[in-house]
Amino acid sequence: MSESAERKLARLKVELDRHNHLYYVLAMPEVSDQEYDRLMRELIEIETAHPEWITPDSPSQRVGGEPTVAFATVEHAVPMMSIDNTYDEAEVRAFDARVRRVLGDEPVRYVLEPKVDGVSLGIRYEKGLLVLAATRGDGRRGDDVTPNARTISSIPLRLKPVDGRKREGTAAIPDVLEVRGEVYMTNAEFQRLNKEREAAGEEVYKNPRNLTTGALRQLDPKITASRRLRFICHGLGQVKPLPVDGYWDWIQYLKDLHLPVSEQTKRVENIDEAIATIEAFNETRGKLAFQTDGMVLKVDSFDQRQRLGVTSKAPRWVIAFKYAAEQMQTLLRGVDWQVGKNGTLTPVARMEPVFLAGTTVQNATLHNLDQIRRLDLHLGDTIVIEKAGEVIPYVRQAVPEKRPRGAKPVEPPTHCPSCGAKVEREEGAKYIYCLNPDCPAQFRERLRWFCGRNQMDIEHVGDKLADALAEAGLVKTFADLYRLKKEALLGLERLGEKSAQNVLEAIEKSRSCGLDRLLAGIGIRHVGNRVAYVLAQHFGSLDALAAASQAGLSEVMEIGPVIAESVYDFFHNRAGQHAVSELKSVRINPSVAKPTANEPRPLAGQTVVVTGTLPTLGRTEIEAMIVRLGGKASASVSKKTNFVVAGESAGSKLDKAKELKVPVLSEAEFLKKVRSA
């Protein structure tokens, strides 16, 4: 029996490694996500039963282990230097002239590759096994983020050369191989995460690079894993022995080892070909699945690089050409107002179509009425648009001198564009709301949100199917999802027998979601995943939450008067009461078990204030940790505050803590405190 399980374990490892390479490196998946998840579950089940069989290179090690207290600082064996940038073709030619002055008349080949807009990372293999992943830091020392790097599926945990493709005279795998590269996020993943945040009423991320930086520096590797980061190679550090003589051959060698490299990498014979390559890439880079803001030009020969040397800041054998941000002018034809799940009306600019950064753009969000006023937009204006991080189109400014005579300012609607109900704007608020609980546009958005991954996680009910269910009248409340029959689903366009069965199974599976997921999903204004978790932990059930007074809600840790009013109104208005009653009628009424006496709650009874920017933890993340450990995360410092966790730019709360002699901890001191308790 154990021999059979061991053989199956070995087979699953090989199979999962192969699928990782096909999906994340070659972009040629052979199996569905569901099939991949099934194989991973089988692997984890075997390893759970036989923990002595778990190895560092097992695919199961990518899901993320236990959170770490802090990142250790490590020294790079070879410094990770920055490179010089230019926006000017003449400076690229001047770079070539400097290279030739040193090397004389000998031929110089260049290798060009996309400048991926991500986070630099060095990954080190010893005897083929991944042993270290470190950020660039100051170039000489960086942070050890190995647990997080293990969650990135395009980074092999063990190097395995392809049979029959070993290059003559090279070792299969060097004793030490350190490859340098960039961690990045695809445009699709960035937009998915922003869509989730926008639906939750949270601020969207400005660009994928910032989001990637935060994901890579999470103390909890499971959070990093959920961000679906990618890695692409663009250099080398310490390699012993070095198997090739030049960078072009190095790239081919990395391919043999199943390490990801850019398919846009190209070798040229002279600077004229290099310039032509840079110009051609500018025409196609907008079609790539990730952000890139330029091309990097490198001398190919390692021997020539050695002779060219380095300055105190950068090598003399490389330069990056960066493209200027592309802007276009177009005409503002109108402004449409989209209705969100909580009735928020968001203005969207409808423009004369224009080709920008690789795609045709004809719509761009204007965010809110304040943004329209700031831009002083008039219908018929000529406007300047560009893409934020070359992904999201946005309106940079209007061009008043081109404004048509008699053009009218953009005004907010007086009635909901979906249901016709009057809209309202709270005094001093940025947003306009439709307050009709029966608004069909609101319900479509709420249904999408309810089924989403971070709410009830109903896998096969995506946006299109949710819209179809609502428009066909099959789902008028959340509870109707749990009343669906296969016959009704088969009546929808392009939904076959198997697909309908998958939908029903996914809906049934969602019954196991906890109270916090349900509260996050049912569409209470100002209640996202974070607040839902706090409410679930404090009240434990829908009935207890519904029975709470507004004053009682305000006393809950992290629940201010605005959220308290919103939650109270939901459970005391007709629409909210009907939604909850309907869910209970289909046996959706989860509760939260109270913590056992043995469960560690080192902050029980303590009030903690977080202020400033912390090195690794986000505000939401650390406050969730405080609540999970039994404490109260307060927004203000008082004599009742047990201690303050302070980061950079802490401001008045830190001053107040010092005045009241409240203990102040750094992030590292806080983590040490809760880990050792």
Side-chain angles (χ1 to χ4, degrees), residues 514-589:
L515 178 60
D516 59 327
R517 293 290 196 97
L518 180 62
L519 290 174
I522 57 180
I524 307 172
R525 188 184 296 178
H526 304 307
V527 177
N529 300 89
R530 171 82 173 93
V531 172
Y533 176 84
V534 173
L535 292 171
Q537 292 297 314
H538 185 87
F539 290 99
S541 70
L542 285 172
D543 288 339
L545 184 56
S549 66
Q550 191 168 326
L553 286 162
S554 295
E555 293 174 357
V556 177
M557 59 192 76
E558 302 182 67
I559 307 300
V562 173
I563 296 175
E565 182 181 5
S566 178
V567 173
Y568 182 84
D569 286 348
F570 177 86
F571 284 99
H572 289 80
N573 67 42
R574 176 182 60 82
Q577 290 174 340
H578 180 64
V580 171
S581 174
E582 282 283 284
L583 285 166
K584 287 181 177 180
S585 74
V586 291
R587 305 187 313 281
I588 304 296
N589 189 18

Side-chain angles (χ1 to χ4, degrees), residues 468-545:
L469 290 169
E471 288 167 8
L474 295 176
V475 176
K476 297 179 181 178
T477 69
F478 299 138
D480 286 341
L481 283 167
Y482 300 91
R483 300 186 180 111
L484 284 172
K485 303 297 183 186
K486 185 184 290 187
E487 294 73 24
L489 290 174
L490 292 174
L492 297 176
E493 188 177 353
R494 282 182 271 184
L495 202 66
E497 181 90 19
K498 179 61 176 174
S499 296
Q501 186 60 38
N502 287 339
V503 168
L504 293 175
E505 289 176 0
I507 291 172
E508 190 63 24
K509 181 182 176 183
S510 73
R511 289 180 178 277
S512 62
C513 286
L515 178 60
D516 59 327
R517 293 290 196 97
L518 180 62
L519 290 174
I522 57 180
I524 307 172
R525 188 184 296 178
H526 304 307
V527 177
N529 300 89
R530 171 82 173 93
V531 172
Y533 176 84
V534 173
L535 292 171
Q537 292 297 314
H538 185 87
F539 290 99
S541 70
L542 285 172
D543 288 339
L545 184 56

Side-chain angles (χ1 to χ4, degrees), residues 12 22 59 77 135 159 161 197 208 226 228 237 332 357 373 395 446 471 507 544 567 573 575 605 643-644 654:
L12 287 169
L22 286 169
T135 61
L159 299 178
R197 291 181 67 83
S226 72
R228 306 177 193 172
L332 178 64
R373 296 287 183 258
V395 178
R446 286 201 298 271
E471 288 167 8
I507 291 172
V567 173
N573 67 42
F643 62 90
V644 170
L654 179 59

